[in-house]
Amino acid sequence: ACYVYADVSAFTDDSMAFGARLLAETGLAVAPGIDFDPVDGHRFMRLSFCGTSEEIAEGIDRLVRYLG
């Protein structure tokens, strides 16, 4: 797997709630940054890219549509 620790502060200041909404609305699961950094993690999320090329492409498409 490949991981990205992404700054999502342009979209939220609560990565836990943002991740819950993302899962509920798109079916994509992410790890909130607070799991890795209790101080600044609220601004970050960890994305994991694993699976087939088609599955990864579908996940990216869902994320792009969600973020608008």
Side-chain angles (χ1 to χ4, degrees):
C2 174
Y3 300 97
V4 173
Y5 195 64
D7 182 344
V8 293
S9 61
F11 303 101
T12 187
D13 64 352
D14 183 349
S15 63
M16 180 78 75
F18 187 77
R21 286 192 312 272
L22 185 65
L23 178 61
E25 296 179 29
T26 69
L28 296 174
V30 297
I34 201 76
D35 289 349
F36 307 95
D37 178 356
V39 175
D40 293 317
H42 62 280
R43 299 182 307 119
F44 292 88
M45 291 186 348
R46 189 181 80 165
L47 310 172
S48 174
F49 297 89
C50 59
T52 67
S53 297
E54 293 80 14
E55 291 168 331
I56 293 170
E58 173 63 24
I60 292 170
D61 288 343
R62 288 183 194 185
L63 183 58
V64 167
R65 284 193 305 268
Y66 182 77
L67 297 177

